[in-house]
Amino acid sequence: MIREKEISYHYGGHFVFSPSRKYVGGHLKKINIDVDFISFFDLLDDLKEYCHFNICEGDKFVYLGGDRIISDYDGLVECHDDQDIKNMLVSYRMHKERSIEIYTLLKNDIFMSTSLGENSSRGSNAVKRKTRGPTRCVKIINLQEGQKLPVEFDEDHQAIGENASKLIWFLGQTVRSRTCCPLKVNGWKVIEQDKIGHMWEIVLEKFNFDVSEGRKSAIFGKRSDLYRDYRYKLKKKYFDSKANYQLRLRNKPKLVAADEWKYLVNLWSDADFQKKSTQNKTNRSKRSLPPYIGTKNYARLRYEMEQKNGKAPSRVEVFMESRKRKKRKQVDVFQQDVIDQFYQFKKQQKEGEISLNDDNIFEKVLGAEKMDIFVRMAPEKISVNILVVDQQKYNL
């Protein structure tokens, strides 16, 4: 059953504070929303469509608490993310007949009187240090209706080109959105199909490309990786850092609902999960040769190298490019030994001392290719991000 709620968008005006706070000089637009499928980004889309709202230019919006009136000092709350939207809906839960009131403001407009704030004992005007915060993909959100970003794909169905990173950022944002991707599940594979379908539809709303099963599978594969990484970071920062169950429950992340966090804490505290987690950690410790390319995958690196050099790079060239460190950081001894061997073989190849091609050199240095130990350094290769090799070969 669809649960609808009326929202009143107030836009084009500003707040005055004498004799009491009110919003003047603006317009009003009322619409109905499905409260089970509403997120921060859904509201941004509505505001852009109905209220000429542009977050890239510094526009912001606030909501009036369901149990507050506009003159209340703490009645208005600025919205930054999905948690604020959840709090907004909760505040109206006991006021079902009341319309949700949202007010838009330009960059330099204020919604709280400075003099009132200084004299009030309610709330706090403490200035918080500005931090980067979660990626919000504002350039994608502010696309005009019907406008889409074109995305290129290579023969392995991996996104490449100038909009590939925007697609990846957008996928990352959706897996962090509780309206798109739930946390109260054991893992990606058990997420309901209607949620999966919704996540695919919002990709098609924002990006333009020829749809194929291979590309769809690759996009959901990347989304699965991002979802797993998101849960891993939550566990590492908010669960592993605390010593016992009660401390972990209280250490809830801001953007995670209380019921979702309790579910995750119970899941991660389970003995079977702990055993599996320990085994996975042991397996990861045996891996070596990690690339130093951050969130960029090998497909995008290959594409950039090809655009720069005018020819497709070999696996050896991609390997050496992906192992370059920034800011004068040192490459580990094992990596450096492999790179030195590649340089030596490439020098001999150039001088005509050997007749090996780059694929032969790659195999000679790192060993014969086997299942599950390939790095995606050339098209049509099995994909993992870490290469496992026999370190005893290098006496390490």
Side-chain angles (χ1 to χ4, degrees), residues 276-295:
K276 184 178 179 181
S277 179
T278 301
Q279 182 59 52
N280 289 338
K281 185 176 181 179
T282 301
N283 293 340
R284 287 193 300 271
S285 69
K286 296 178 181 178
R287 294 176 174 178
S288 55
L289 295 177
Y292 302 127
I293 52 179
T295 58

Side-chain angles (χ1 to χ4, degrees), residues 117-323:
E118 289 170 351
N119 297 326
S120 174
S121 61
R122 299 177 69 185
S124 173
N125 276 341
V127 177
K128 292 184 179 180
R129 182 173 65 88
K130 189 173 183 180
T131 56
R132 180 182 179 274
T135 301
R136 294 168 69 181
C137 306
V138 292
K139 292 183 179 179
I140 300 173
I141 295 164
N142 278 310
L143 291 172
Q144 298 298 315
E145 184 176 1
Q147 183 183 3
K148 300 180 181 182
L149 294 178
V151 182
E152 301 176 65
F153 289 82
D154 67 8
E155 56 265 49
D156 290 327
H157 312 295
Q158 300 298 307
I160 56 175
E162 63 174 325
N163 289 327
S165 61
K166 294 183 179 64
L167 173 62
I168 303 304
W169 292 337
F170 185 73
L171 297 179
Q173 193 285 320
T174 58
V175 301
R176 295 190 298 271
S177 171
R178 62 186 300 269
T179 60
C180 291
C181 206
L183 285 172
K184 289 178 67 174
V185 292
N186 282 7
W188 175 265
K189 292 182 179 180
V190 295
I191 293 178
E192 297 175 353
Q193 284 302 309
D194 62 331
K195 294 283 188 182
I196 297 293
H198 176 62
M199 284 187 275
W200 178 241
E201 289 172 2
I202 61 177
V203 169
L204 298 182
E205 286 177 4
K206 301 295 184 181
F207 297 92
N208 181 38
F209 54 89
D210 292 332
V211 177
S212 69
E213 284 302 314
R215 292 177 180 180
K216 184 176 181 179
S217 177
I219 287 173
F220 274 109
K222 182 62 180 178
R223 202 172 234 153
S224 172
D225 292 341
L226 292 169
Y227 181 73
R228 183 171 61 251
D229 184 59
Y230 174 48
R231 289 167 67 111
Y232 165 77
K233 289 178 179 177
L234 288 176
K235 181 176 182 293
K236 183 177 181 180
K237 184 174 182 178
Y238 297 98
F239 179 89
D240 294 341
S241 62
K242 299 300 178 181
N244 60 54
Y245 181 81
Q246 292 300 326
L247 290 176
R248 288 164 174 168
L249 273 183
R250 288 199 289 267
N251 197 35
K252 184 184 78 67
K254 177 183 177 182
L255 298 182
V256 177
D259 60 328
E260 293 176 327
W261 182 242
K262 184 176 182 180
Y263 177 91
L264 290 175
V265 170
N266 289 335
L267 174 66
W268 294 335
S269 300
D270 180 74
D272 290 338
F273 182 92
Q274 295 274 3
K275 181 178 178 181
K276 184 178 179 181
S277 179
T278 301
Q279 182 59 52
N280 289 338
K281 185 176 181 179
T282 301
N283 293 340
R284 287 193 300 271
S285 69
K286 296 178 181 178
R287 294 176 174 178
S288 55
L289 295 177
Y292 302 127
I293 52 179
T295 58
K296 184 184 300 182
N297 62 13
Y298 286 112
R300 288 165 56 196
L301 179 62
R302 287 199 313 267
Y303 175 82
E304 291 175 4
M305 293 176 68
E306 184 173 357
Q307 295 299 303
K308 180 180 179 180
N309 302 321
K311 63 175 183 177
S314 68
R315 297 171 67 195
V316 172
E317 292 167 337
V318 173
F319 181 94
M320 291 192 292
E321 183 67 24
S322 65
R323 267 65 188 178

